[in-house]
Amino acid sequence: MERKGGAVRPHQSDPAAWNRPRGAGADGGRGHVHPGVCWLCGGPAGEHLPAQVFCGTIVLIFFLELAVAVLAFLFQDWVRDRFREFFESNIKSYRDDIDLQNLIDSLQKANQCCGAYGPEDWDLNVYFNCSGASYSREKCGVPFSCCVPDPAQKVLNTQCGYDVRTQLKSKWDEFIFTKGCIPALEGWLPRNIYIVAGVFIAISLLQIFGIFLAKTLISDIEAVKAGHHF
């Protein structure tokens, strides 16, 4: 470098300085990374952009997952209301979307439940509604996924829920599940809290390991550059 007229100008023997685009900084105009990401992932901002972006993405996902878990715990009533609205909306559209239908059937069979809070929720669907205006064969019934399985039957009876709600309510539990899916899921979590915690910890460890690999890669690049005087 040489100084002329009080201003510092690149020396002619420094081709990298002359070939650098006008307005570019010492990093050659590469993108910048947030200082917080640099602190977590290592290396100066923008010095190892691909590795820092990878590391920063994992860090962001990790903290988002943590925030969602904390908020879901703190606002359980809000989460319960949103799930109830989601389930009731899907009950109304049960026959309109085969994928949605399979999702609800799988949820009800896996948790041995029926409806959001009970079998009466199926009145929300025009095909299962008990009102006199309905002429559906499924009127006052429930989907087959609500039925208590019969071990003696080897062939699935998809009509097992027909007319079941025309009988006395005290007899429903002989034929169908009477517990709603929201209470069933709420009861499932405490029973399986160690499994849920284990899955969360395993995912967190994998993400932390990814952050460690990114930091190691950045450190190795720094070491190679220092060894070759880059």
Side-chain angles (χ1 to χ4, degrees), residues 75-153:
F75 300 97
Q76 295 181 39
D77 293 337
W78 183 88
V79 173
R80 187 183 298 110
D81 291 340
R82 299 293 80 75
F83 185 77
R84 175 183 57 80
E85 293 175 1
F86 168 79
F87 203 96
E88 291 179 349
S89 174
N90 290 337
I91 285 176
K92 295 177 183 178
S93 307
Y94 178 75
R95 290 298 189 202
D96 300 334
D97 187 335
I98 186 64
D99 294 327
L100 182 62
Q101 180 176 318
N102 291 334
L103 173 63
I104 294 178
D105 286 336
S106 299
L107 182 63
Q108 293 189 145
K109 286 190 293 185
N111 295 279
Q112 297 186 346
C113 57
C114 188
Y117 283 99
E120 296 94 337
D121 290 334
W122 284 98
D123 277 333
L124 297 171
N125 186 279
V126 294
Y127 296 99
F128 297 99
N129 191 284
C130 283
S131 67
S134 175
Y135 296 97
S136 169
R137 179 62 189 87
E138 297 175 308
K139 176 182 177 179
C140 255
V142 292
F144 73 93
S145 54
C146 287
C147 295
V148 176
D150 185 354
Q153 286 186 344

Side-chain angles (χ1 to χ4, degrees), residues 4 6 140 201:
K4 290 186 177 182
C140 255
I201 292 173

Side-chain angles (χ1 to χ4, degrees), residues 4 22 39 44 56 69 83 128 137 145 153 166 181 194 203 229:
K4 290 186 177 182
R22 179 176 296 179
W39 175 74
F83 185 77
F128 297 99
R137 179 62 189 87
S145 54
Q153 286 186 344
T166 60
C181 290
Y194 293 110
I203 294 174
H229 306 289

Side-chain angles (χ1 to χ4, degrees), residues 1-4 9-20:
M1 303 289 287
E2 60 181 0
R3 182 178 297 273
K4 290 186 177 182
R9 296 180 58 189
H11 196 276
Q12 292 181 354
S13 62
D14 183 10
W18 288 108
N19 294 330
R20 185 178 302 141

